[in-house]
Amino acid sequence: MREPVDLRRQRILAAVRARGTARVRDLAEELQVSVVTVRRDVEELTREGRLRRGHGVVRSMVPAEEEPAGTGAAAGDRVAVVVPVRHSYLNETLHGARTVLEEAGLRLALHLAPQAAGAERPLVERALAEGADGLLIAPRWRRRAEEEADHEWLAALGVPTVLMERRPWRGSALHALDSVCSDHWYGAHLAVEHLVGLGHRRIVFATRHDSPTARSLRAAFTEIAGAHPLVERWAWTLIAPEAGLDGPYAADETAELPALMRKVGATAMVLHGDVDALMVVQRLAEEAVRVPEDCSVVAYDDVVAGLGSPPLTAVSPPKTEVGRMAAELLLQRLAEAPGARPGRRVELLPRLRVRGSTAPSTE
């Protein structure tokens, strides 16, 4: 005989109140009903103000009952987040993920990977051994070989995993893994169109080359500038000598930016990332090159670009939203049966923030 709705909802309230937080899928298993049924009950109880609902998680509106030591939330009731140490770009991404996870009642365990090849794997293995139910990860992957070395073990973790700001290779072991990243091609497009719209026809692009983002940007700038009917001349170089881990490079690709700018006759530059861009502007000032009077500058990342003198126009990837969306995808995976949905790749569009470092060309 089917259990009365009111009784089932009372059992849900009692279970959630006893724990403080409960997962929808766990409640469905305990009550031996479908996840859809529990979700419907939870929605009604939430409307009545008796529960608070998150992504796949339910929280009580009253304090959890006193429990003996050691019987609280399961050790696995958390998400491991693995990001590179000293990576300011990902701080905002981390904040976005944390907000979503905490609202859902899940604990976040942060692991910082040192600057060494393969540093993420032992951290992930330890997190899983400690009971993590899911993983958000942004591997450093300074070189393509490092990325390839991580594919097999990362694809075989056995827990829901979402890549942040990393795009799996087509056909690789990670091809079906969930990922959320910025559309860096579109970011490059915004930068070029902004400068072309100001009348600049000769542009220098400079990026790091020790991350997947840097490699994506170089490919995007090459494609966009090479095909743009209004770009008369352009060149790409490394923004800093220490960025050239993948070499060898042609002479122009490791040239000092002021010298390359003069060679190309450039009136504008796009520089990745912010800190290096600020240093380049300082170097230009030492050589009596004024920004934006003599050279317009667009930075890429927008972490500290607005603090420069002048404040730098910058392409701003949606860093916080990447973390938020990645956490939401992970929560959906945690709340459903394995393989319930196909893998998902989400790309979010950057914005251009115009400040004082760009101006119309005087030529």
Side-chain angles (χ1 to χ4, degrees), residues 6 15 24 69 112 115 138 181 184 188 222 253 285 320 345 351 353:
D6 289 345
V24 170
L112 299 175
Q115 299 183 25
C181 62
H184 293 302
T222 299
E253 296 176 340
T320 300
R345 293 190 182 187
R351 296 178 179 178
R353 302 196 182 278

Side-chain angles (χ1 to χ4, degrees), residues 3-348:
E3 182 180 42
V5 172
D6 289 345
L7 178 57
R8 185 178 65 242
R9 290 177 180 171
Q10 287 299 322
R11 291 177 62 194
I12 291 173
L13 281 172
V16 176
R17 182 176 181 181
R19 305 172 199 173
T21 301
R23 297 183 194 170
V24 170
R25 62 178 179 179
D26 293 341
L27 292 171
E29 289 177 3
E30 291 176 20
L31 274 61
Q32 296 185 341
V33 295
S34 70
V35 170
V36 172
T37 296
V38 173
R39 284 177 179 160
R40 190 161 51 238
D41 289 341
V42 165
E43 287 175 2
E44 181 59 33
L45 291 168
T46 299
R47 278 194 291 270
E48 295 173 3
R50 304 169 78 184
L51 289 178
R52 189 169 72 186
R53 184 165 56 97
H55 293 275
V57 177
V58 188
R59 304 185 72 178
S60 177
M61 298 298 290
V62 297
E65 296 176 0
E66 197 71 24
E67 296 182 48
T71 62
D77 190 21
R78 63 177 165 215
V79 168
V81 180
V82 179
V83 297
V85 68
R86 293 195 294 275
H87 201 307
S88 58
Y89 178 97
L90 290 170
N91 287 347
E92 294 179 49
T93 302
L94 180 62
H95 175 72
R98 177 183 177 182
T99 300
V100 170
L101 294 173
E102 289 184 348
E103 287 177 354
L106 294 185
R107 292 175 293 162
L108 182 151
L110 177 62
H111 301 266
L112 299 175
Q115 299 183 25
E120 288 83 6
R121 183 168 184 173
L123 295 178
V124 170
E125 291 174 347
R126 187 175 74 188
L128 297 184
E130 292 174 350
D133 287 327
L135 174 67
L136 298 176
I137 185 169
R140 186 177 299 275
W141 286 344
R142 297 168 69 105
R143 302 171 182 168
R144 284 188 64 110
E146 295 176 9
E147 180 176 350
E148 187 173 9
D150 283 347
H151 282 184
E152 294 295 335
W153 71 264
L154 195 51
L157 289 178
V159 299
T161 300
V162 181
L163 286 172
M164 300 186 298
E165 284 295 17
R166 302 294 182 258
R167 184 180 289 101
W169 302 353
R170 292 181 179 178
S172 71
L174 298 183
H175 191 96
L177 198 67
D178 289 338
S179 64
V180 182
C181 62
S182 303
D183 185 344
H184 293 302
W185 184 95
Y186 184 72
H189 166 78
L190 289 177
V192 173
E193 288 299 326
H194 174 63
L195 293 172
V196 169
L198 291 173
H200 298 283
R201 300 293 181 260
R202 296 182 298 280
I203 306 171
V204 167
F205 305 100
T207 71
R208 302 192 63 82
H209 200 39
D210 54 0
S211 74
T213 296
R215 291 189 285 274
S216 295
L217 283 175
R218 180 184 182 181
F221 287 134
T222 299
E223 175 187 342
I224 294 167
H228 203 295
L230 297 179
V231 176
E232 298 172 358
R233 194 173 180 189
W234 65 275
W236 173 86
T237 189
L238 290 168
I239 198 165
E242 64 271 18
L245 299 177
D246 289 339
Y249 295 97
D252 280 353
E253 296 176 340
T254 56
E256 288 290 327
L257 276 166
L260 184 60
M261 178 184 164
R262 289 190 292 269
K263 180 177 179 179
V264 174
T267 60
M269 292 193 291
V270 184
L271 307 174
H272 169 242
D274 283 7
V275 173
D276 287 321
L278 292 171
M279 294 179 67
V280 168
V281 171
Q282 292 175 191
R283 196 185 324 158
L284 291 175
E286 293 170 0
E287 300 202 14
V289 177
R290 300 169 300 166
V291 174
E293 292 84 356
D294 302 320
C295 179
S296 285
V297 171
V298 177
Y300 198 102
D301 274 355
D302 201 28
V303 177
V304 294
L307 303 178
S309 180
L312 302 185
T313 293
V315 175
S316 183
K319 299 174 281 294
T320 300
E321 287 304 312
V322 166
R324 188 183 301 276
M325 179 62 71
E328 290 176 352
L329 284 183
L330 186 63
L331 289 173
Q332 290 173 20
R333 289 296 189 196
L334 291 169
E336 62 193 18
R341 304 189 198 191
R344 286 161 287 182
R345 293 190 182 187
V346 179
E347 285 193 333
L348 303 178

